[in-house]
Amino acid sequence: GNSVTQMEGPVTLSEEAFLTINCTYTATGYPSLFWYVQYPGEGLQLLLKATKADDKGSNKGFEATYRKETTSFHLEKGSVQVSDSAVYFCALSPFSSNTGKLIFGQGTTLQVKP
Amino acid sequence: DAEITQSPRHKITETGRQVTLACHQTWNHNNMFWYRQDLGHGLRLIHYSYGVQDTNKGEVSDGYSVSRSNTEDLPLTLESAASSQTSVYFCASSVQGAHQNEAFFGQGTRLTVV
């Protein structure tokens, strides 16, 4: 079946540090891949996405590359800020489903200290 | 601006009571979803709808029901609330027809069953 696995958190970094949050997936065919972010007390919002192999999604300094050979979609940012503190979710939408159902990883909490 | 709103934001109820959580979207999206968020599990799909009068069970549908009488609303009903249903509930909507389309989330309802 389809599944998403994220690295365990919480992740605590100092401001301006480099961030990597690992995400691997299991799926048949060519799913679309997403990173959603949840700021404290809010709902999820799309951070970035990639819809085919080797695509790179990017937004607000965050990047992730769709790697089919390693079934991965790791999230990276070169220099984190305190305002990046949030919960990050990796998710996939199966190719066979054209109706937007999402399968989520367990989420990774990021805390950035000044 | 289009949006998706959930109500109430917080709810405390007693075991065995029927509870209904509201979700209203003004995106005019055909697809609507209910997820629950639990620590260590990420978000899991409860029920979803592809349009008026259409409802489908998700991964964790036992004890929940939905109805879709119009495009804008997908209320979630807990038939007889149980402590295991204490969770944060998120409603989402998306455009029909493409697995790469993003989902838009409400701000969530925190439900406590005592």
Side-chain angles (χ1 to χ4, degrees), chain A residues 92-113:
Chain A
L92 70 82
S93 181
F95 181 74
S96 61
S97 164
N98 64 354
T99 51
K101 286 189 287 182
L102 292 167
I103 297 165
F104 287 89
Q106 64 267 46
T108 302
T109 299
L110 170 66
Q111 184 179 22
V112 180
K113 296 186 174 180

Side-chain angles (χ1 to χ4, degrees), chain B residues 25-81:
Chain B
Q25 53 100 1
T26 58
W27 292 98
N28 200 34
H29 287 161
N30 284 322
N31 299 344
M32 294 186 73
F33 310 87
W34 274 103
Y35 294 88
R36 60 177 287 174
Q37 181 183 19
D38 303 290
L39 198 62
H41 291 278
L43 277 76
R44 292 178 292 176
L45 184 62
I46 305 171
H47 280 285
Y48 58 100
S49 170
Y50 297 155
V52 176
Q53 302 302 329
D54 177 77
T55 61
N56 305 277
K57 294 182 178 180
E59 177 188 357
V60 289
S61 61
D62 287 349
Y64 303 94
S65 64
V66 294
S67 60
R68 188 89 179 270
S69 58
N70 58 53
T71 300
E72 296 80 16
D73 299 290
L74 187 70
L76 176 71
T77 298
L78 286 69
E79 305 294 344
S80 176

Side-chain angles (χ1 to χ4, degrees), chain B residues 17-21 63-64 76-81 85 89 111:
Chain B
R17 289 194 178 268
Q18 184 180 79
V19 176
T20 297
L21 309 183
Y64 303 94
L76 176 71
T77 298
L78 286 69
E79 305 294 344
S80 176
Q85 295 176 308
Y89 291 86
L111 177 68

Side-chain angles (χ1 to χ4, degrees), chain A residues 30-32 34 36 38 41-46 49 51 87 89 93-95 97-107, chain B residues 9 31 33 35 37-38 40-45 48 50 90 94-108:
Chain A
Y30 296 87
S32 287
F34 304 83
Y36 281 84
Q38 183 183 28
E42 298 185 10
L44 281 72
Q45 55 186 272
L46 180 68
K49 69 178 184 182
T51 59
V87 182
F89 291 94
S93 181
F95 181 74
S97 164
N98 64 354
T99 51
K101 286 189 287 182
L102 292 167
I103 297 165
F104 287 89
Q106 64 267 46
Chain B
R9 294 292 310 277
N31 299 344
F33 310 87
Y35 294 88
Q37 181 183 19
D38 303 290
H41 291 278
L43 277 76
R44 292 178 292 176
L45 184 62
Y48 58 100
Y50 297 155
F90 287 99
S94 68
V95 174
Q96 189 174 36
H99 68 104
Q100 63 265 38
N101 290 330
E102 71 174 287
F104 295 84
F105 284 80
Q107 290 189 300

